[in-house]
Amino acid sequence: MRVLLMNVPDANVGKTTDDWDIEATDIGVFPPMGILYLAGAIRALGRHEVKLVDCILDKLTPEQASQRAKDYAPDVIGLTVYTPNLYDALMLTRSLRAALPKATIVWGGPHTMLFPAESMAQPEVDYLITGEAEETFPAFLDALEDGKPLDFIPGVWMRKGGEVVNTGAPGYVQDIDKLPFPAFDLVDFKRYFSAIGTGLPVGTICSSRGCPFHCTFCCKPYSTYRSRSVENILAEMELYHAQGIREFFFFDDLFNASAKRVKTIAESILAKNWKDVVWSFRGRVDAVDEDMLRLVKKAGCRQILFGVEDASDEGLKAINKKISVAQVFRAMRLCRKVGITTSTNWIIGFPHHKTREDIVKLIDNAVAIDSDFAQFNICIVYQGTAMFDLAVERKLFDPDIWRKHALNPIPNFVEPIWEEHLSRRELSELLKQCYRRFYFRPMSILRKVLRVRRLSEFMLFARGALTLLGIKGYARKKHVQGQESTAR
């Protein structure tokens, strides 16, 4: 069978601010790891032909993407769907159905796990493959081609006799070492970049899956933490290295869950004697120490991205982050001491942010902590989180707000945020203050300019500055599609 996997466009994704959003592409264009892994798994079995179209990378409209699909003439089309890009996914699906009426259209991704029945309510969708699909989707393709029942395949949703039925729990891969490497040859991977990287092509690697922590704002499909062997990780790096890639980004939710594992990876990289390799990872501030940082620095680690979120011990406790402000300061100090750059993630608009002063204090502490880069966001209250349950209990918005969007998605859906104390407009203005106060400090600008070693880095720096000044970025009319504030 001919299989086409598509990364959905992002022209109409959900918005949080009143009049200003930083687009996802303003902080980088990252490879669609989910469908790349899926393509690798399909191809490894050698039975089906597979092709991939990244609508975000190529900036395709649904009509343009459908034309590419029509040119390929697939038997099966698979789309990874996230709730924020649901409208784009549905528009693409409808366009595909019109262009290829006989093709089987399958949805997968996080949205289908949260809203499977609502996803199947869209008549253009033939099947859902929920959960991790590297094992279940190839089995689905085999059964479809052979005309066999799908009942034995976990996580499949389908229609039978006019009713929607499913085959049980979502797919789950216990041993992720067994998974084939992502099929990066199906995309022009040298076009992907990170706004806080060097500007050179990056090899993106997921060395683990899952997160064992339970932050109140986080919606995650799996809490079980599974890691790949060091040998398996290095084998993937070697494939990149052979193609001229020298920068790597470990995209795991939690790369440094084990300090011992991080040290072993660093020692293995050193053993390869890759003098020109640099890499970065996402991790926690409470899981670094000076010995580990010196070792990873020696092995080429140039940057660590830390999820901090809030800037007071009381706030961190309220969101169940299980770190302290002292640990944040310590991690920044140690990284700067050994020469590793840092990036921190922050969130405003938590339930305990009751006044503007609370967020001004967060900005003050973020500036004092002084990471090299920072990203700020307004807290989105996602279905399936402890924070969503609390918001519903306090009657802050319609408990079916996400479900109604899942059934009838609209462009630029105004996502629910916590407006009990501060309005969307106030939080939007505070978000601008966060970025401008953090980045437009003389010493911060000077450090970044002095760190520039190549033109590509300077271009990324300039692009970021223009975005923060409002010269580039996203601006839209207030109350998109007639939506009003959800505050009560």
Side-chain angles (χ1 to χ4, degrees):
M1 297 179 72
R2 294 164 70 87
V3 182
L4 178 64
L5 302 178
M6 306 188 79
N7 192 28
V8 173
D10 64 349
N12 300 282
V13 295
K15 302 298 177 185
T16 57
T17 73
D18 185 60
D19 64 348
W20 184 82
D21 277 284
I22 289 182
E23 295 281 13
T25 50
D26 288 329
I27 61 172
V29 179
F30 300 96
M33 297 304 297
I35 55 177
L36 285 168
Y37 264 107
L38 199 53
I42 294 168
R43 193 168 57 181
L45 296 177
R47 183 170 176 180
H48 307 288
E49 179 184 324
V50 62
K51 184 175 180 178
L52 193 148
V53 172
D54 188 343
C55 299
I56 294 176
L57 181 68
D58 291 334
K59 300 179 180 178
L60 301 178
T61 65
E63 294 73 25
Q64 291 169 331
S66 295
Q67 184 58 53
R68 286 201 188 180
K70 193 173 182 179
D71 293 342
Y72 180 59
D75 301 295
V76 178
I77 305 171
L79 278 67
T80 297
V81 183
Y82 299 88
T83 304
N85 76 354
L86 177 60
Y87 178 83
D88 291 300
L90 185 57
M91 293 303 102
L92 175 57
T93 301
R94 289 176 178 172
S95 181
L96 289 166
R97 175 58 71 213
L100 295 157
K102 294 183 179 180
T104 297
I105 299 179
V106 184
W107 277 13
H111 178 79
T112 65
M113 290 184 68
L114 279 172
F115 301 103
E118 292 78 8
S119 297
M120 288 300 295
Q122 308 299 339
E124 298 85 2
V125 179
D126 296 309
Y127 297 94
L128 306 181
I129 305 293
T130 60
E132 295 174 335
E134 290 92 351
E135 294 174 348
T136 55
F137 192 50
F140 167 85
L141 294 173
D142 289 349
L144 201 65
E145 185 170 56
D146 295 339
K148 293 182 178 179
L150 304 172
D151 304 76
F152 71 96
I153 304 170
V156 178
W157 286 67
M158 55 191 160
R159 298 180 184 88
K160 277 188 177 182
E163 293 185 0
V164 173
V165 299
N166 71 85
T167 62
Y172 180 79
V173 180
Q174 181 64 47
D175 185 0
I176 61 175
D177 245 14
K178 293 181 179 179
L179 295 177
F181 295 144
F184 273 103
D185 59 296
L186 296 181
V187 294
D188 186 0
F189 64 88
K190 292 186 178 182
R191 292 169 58 197
Y192 296 101
F193 71 94
S194 168
I196 58 176
T198 64
L200 297 176
V202 179
T204 303
I205 296 176
C206 292
S207 73
S208 65
R209 290 186 179 182
C211 176
F213 294 91
H214 301 280
C215 299
T216 62
F217 58 89
C218 185
C219 180
K220 58 182 180 177
Y222 301 105
S223 295
T224 52
Y225 181 80
R226 295 150 288 158
S227 60
R228 293 164 55 188
S229 67
V230 175
E231 294 77 16
N232 188 256
I233 296 165
L234 266 290
E236 185 174 348
M237 293 182 72
E238 284 179 337
L239 289 177
Y240 279 117
H241 196 270
Q243 297 177 65
I245 298 296
R246 297 296 183 266
E247 182 173 350
F248 298 89
F249 180 32
F250 290 100
F251 203 63
D252 313 34
D253 290 331
L254 183 55
F255 180 75
N256 66 334
S258 163
K260 180 180 179 181
R261 175 175 175 270
V262 175
K263 290 178 181 178
T264 305
I265 292 172
E267 289 166 350
S268 299
I269 292 173
L270 286 169
K272 291 289 183 183
N273 200 32
W274 287 335
K275 301 292 186 182
D276 52 353
V277 160
V278 296
W279 49 284
S280 56
F281 68 85
R282 300 195 296 183
R284 286 176 61 91
V285 296
D286 59 344
V288 297
D289 59 54
E290 187 168 344
D291 288 343
M292 185 192 84
L293 291 174
R294 289 194 180 281
L295 179 60
V296 300
K297 170 65 176 177
K298 185 179 179 182
C301 180
R302 64 177 293 272
Q303 185 174 112
I304 302 176
L305 293 77
F306 293 107
V308 180
E309 324 313 352
D310 208 347
S312 72
D313 286 338
E314 296 79 13
L316 291 167
K317 184 177 180 180
I319 61 175
N320 200 34
K321 186 68 181 178
K322 297 191 180 302
I323 60 173
S324 68
V325 173
Q327 289 171 324
V328 180
F329 272 102
R330 174 179 171 274
M332 299 306 119
R333 177 178 55 80
L334 289 176
C335 286
R336 185 154 290 162
K337 181 178 180 180
V338 304
I340 294 175
T341 61
T342 55
S343 178
T344 48
N345 289 342
W346 304 90
I347 298 175
I348 66 172
F350 283 129
H352 57 272
H353 291 162
K354 297 182 178 180
T355 66
R356 295 177 63 90
E357 287 69 31
D358 288 334
I359 296 177
V360 169
K361 288 178 182 177
L362 182 148
I363 304 172
D364 290 341
N365 281 349
V367 169
I369 286 168
D370 197 25
S371 55
D372 296 286
F373 300 93
Q375 183 178 347
F376 298 88
N377 293 285
I378 296 173
C379 182
I380 302 170
V381 187
Y382 283 112
Q383 178 120 4
T385 65
M387 194 172 293
F388 181 86
D389 294 339
L390 182 60
V392 169
E393 181 184 318
R394 295 190 185 180
K395 299 181 179 179
L396 297 183
F397 44 68
D398 183 347
D400 285 332
I401 186 169
W402 284 108
R403 181 177 176 275
K404 289 177 179 177
H405 177 59
L407 283 170
N408 185 29
I410 58 175
N412 300 133
F413 171 63
V414 179
E415 297 162 320
I417 64 175
W418 200 279
E419 293 186 83
E420 183 179 22
H421 310 296
L422 294 166
S423 70
R424 192 180 299 269
R425 180 172 297 180
E426 289 174 307
L427 288 169
S428 300
E429 289 302 318
L430 286 163
L431 183 64
K432 294 177 188 177
Q433 288 187 37
C434 288
Y435 273 107
R436 291 170 182 172
R437 273 201 55 199
F438 185 89
Y439 280 104
F440 294 152
R441 294 172 290 144
M443 283 304 298
S444 175
I445 294 172
L446 179 62
R447 275 208 310 263
K448 290 173 179 58
V449 170
L450 292 176
R451 192 182 297 119
V452 169
R453 293 292 181 269
R454 50 179 63 89
L455 179 61
S456 58
E457 286 183 272
F458 176 78
M459 295 302 292
L460 288 175
F461 175 75
R463 175 177 177 170
L466 292 173
T467 297
L468 296 176
L469 287 169
I471 297 172
K472 185 186 181 303
Y474 181 87
R476 60 184 170 84
K477 294 180 180 179
K478 299 175 184 178
H479 306 309
V480 176
Q481 297 293 314
Q483 293 185 87
E484 301 296 330
S485 169
T486 56
R488 290 176 181 262

